[in-house]
Amino acid sequence: MKRFSSILILLLIPIISFSQSAPNQPNTKPKLVVGIVVDQMRYDYLTRYWERYGDGGFRRLVNEGFNCKNNHFNYIPTSTAPGHASVYTATTPAVHGIMGNDWFDKDLNEEVYCVRDLSYEPVGTKDKAGRMAPTRLISSTITDELKVATHGKGKVIGVAMKDRGAILPAGHAANAAYWFHGKDEGQFVSSSYYIKKLPDWVKEFNKSGIAKSYKKDWNTLYPIETYTASLADDLPYEEKFDGEDAPVFPHKLPKIWKKNDEYDMIKSSPYGNDLTADFALAAIEGEQLGADDITDFLAISFSSTDYVGHRFGVDAIETEDTYLRLDKQIERILTYLDTNIGKGNYTVFLTADHAAVHAPGYLRDLNLPAGYRSSKPMATRLKDFLSKKYGTDKLIRNYSNYQLYFNNEELAKIGVSSKELQGVVAEELIGYEGVQEVYTATQLWKNDYVQGFGYIVQNGFSKKRSGDVFIVQSPMFIGTSYEKGGTSHGTPYIYDTHVPLLFFGKGINQGYTTERTEIPDVSATIAALLGIGFPSGTTGTPVSQVID
């Protein structure tokens, strides 16, 4: 009998060993997924301020999570709306249809805003700020797929200062998206697309006075002399607030409140991120996110980094201070999740919607070939050229997002095909100062680019929504409106495309990769982690090192 028992134990050992080393289940079910998009965050903001970050924010995400060090946008324009849409749809504007923050609608013959939909009413305000919806987004999001997979039981909430930063991540099927309406109201609002009225917890938050508490001076978090990762405080590469004598600390927000659209001032300071975190945590409690075993999703976008970056630039003390303060908010969120959802019960990813270029004035002072350039001289020169060649100055309907839209009715009148005019315009433009490359719609229809500018332009091209000619401008040049200070983005250059991608929490491996990853990979990875359907237009690939 003893011998039989021994033999049985020996036979069971391989079975036990096999079960212990068996592959992971095909899905991981955190109670809550938190997606964080930091508006206008360059990858090197992680490394530049690393020594100044605390252990519980960005450094915790990197040290305990997975860091994709070579993560890029793979399309243009690199701007807020297509950035958020691409993160959450696992694809590019060519598929999801969000061509920019605004773009020219060829059917309507007018510029349209990415989330504007006048068929819906504002909720929480009488201002048109609430007449928004995700109806121009033509692909599903990872948040939509979670709703589908859980038969609507998993809750999805989007939160941001910007409407597009809340709506596009929340997707079509969300419980709600909330964004901050400033001016003289200072309220988080929504749209009748999602809800008929604000929940009690949102009403209570709006009445609490939290937003008003940020009507205060903005001084540096630490002694200003310790901000050695930035340039001096008063340089010509920064734009001051209206009513200020110079763009220097302290910024006395209450004193210049009226001149800067009142509560909109909060957006342009780090306090906007603080307020976003306040509201995000209130959403977790108010909606009981992560309270059961059905996965919920909270999409947070920190918008104030973009407002600060545009005004003060990449190298300003204001930008450094904003990130040091944001680091504390990231730590605050993670600590809250540890306490209220439980360590090992939630998954987080953090990325950005685009990066930004150093102020061209600063680069030019270092003898780099950078500067400012207006599109008006180019447009005027092209118009004159076409008038002389074809006898009409009405061939171009619109120029936006680096694209030219032709007037097809006028082309028909003179008997010229769109294809012919594309070639003529491209050949003319390539000789203009400030133009690096030119692509025609015909080229983008017929070719399959796999690298270089062609690949990036093609990923941002839609047959239905894009123009007839794409222009790639020269590197390190931005519009003349930034000559007075600040920076911008939107190009295919690495300073606009290289952004962080961090994964953390349940189901996430610890480590890093320097292999190239791309923004559409974010939601593809989360879908693979959760074991749910991929967004409908997915072109990204799960980052296998993150979840294997």
Side-chain angles (χ1 to χ4, degrees), residues 3-17:
R3 183 181 177 190
F4 176 78
S5 299
S6 300
I7 293 172
L8 182 61
I9 292 170
L10 289 172
L11 288 171
L12 285 174
I13 287 174
I15 297 174
I16 295 169
S17 299

Side-chain angles (χ1 to χ4, degrees), residues 72-76 78 86 91-93 455-460 497 516 518-521 539-540:
H72 293 269
F73 283 88
N74 60 341
Y75 64 83
I76 55 171
T78 39
S86 298
T91 190
T92 66
Y455 169 72
I456 293 174
V457 172
Q458 194 166 53
N459 283 333
T497 69
R516 181 180 174 94
E518 295 181 336
I519 282 296
D521 300 339
T539 54

Side-chain angles (χ1 to χ4, degrees), residues 45-187:
Y45 289 160
L46 277 180
T47 56
R48 187 189 307 184
Y49 310 135
W50 181 259
E51 297 302 325
R52 308 209 71 193
Y53 290 143
D55 291 331
F58 287 118
R59 290 173 68 160
R60 183 180 175 192
L61 292 178
V62 171
N63 290 333
E64 298 180 26
F66 197 94
N67 182 8
C68 299
K69 295 185 176 184
N70 189 23
N71 184 61
H72 293 269
F73 283 88
N74 60 341
Y75 64 83
I76 55 171
T78 39
S79 53
T80 298
H84 283 78
S86 298
V87 168
Y88 279 85
T89 61
T91 190
T92 66
V95 179
H96 63 59
I98 301 299
M99 313 313 296
N101 294 336
D102 307 89
W103 66 87
F104 182 75
D105 188 303
K106 292 184 281 191
D107 294 327
L108 298 175
N109 196 31
E110 65 182 19
E111 293 259 349
V112 296
Y113 179 59
C114 57
V115 292
R116 172 76 69 202
D117 192 327
L118 299 181
S119 60
Y120 296 97
E121 296 301 318
V123 175
T125 179
K126 293 182 180 180
D127 192 274
K128 65 181 180 180
R131 305 190 74 177
M132 305 289 174
T135 46
R136 287 193 168 92
L137 181 66
I138 57 178
S139 178
S140 71
T141 61
I142 185 65
T143 45
D144 289 333
E145 295 300 329
L146 179 64
K147 295 293 279 189
V148 172
T150 61
H151 302 126
K153 296 176 183 177
K155 287 188 175 181
V156 172
I157 301 291
V159 175
M161 288 280 107
K162 295 181 181 179
D163 47 31
R164 57 190 182 269
I167 291 170
L168 295 170
H172 304 86
N175 295 78
Y178 300 102
W179 55 96
F180 187 69
H181 177 53
K183 300 187 184 301
D184 61 346
E185 293 188 30
Q187 307 275 343

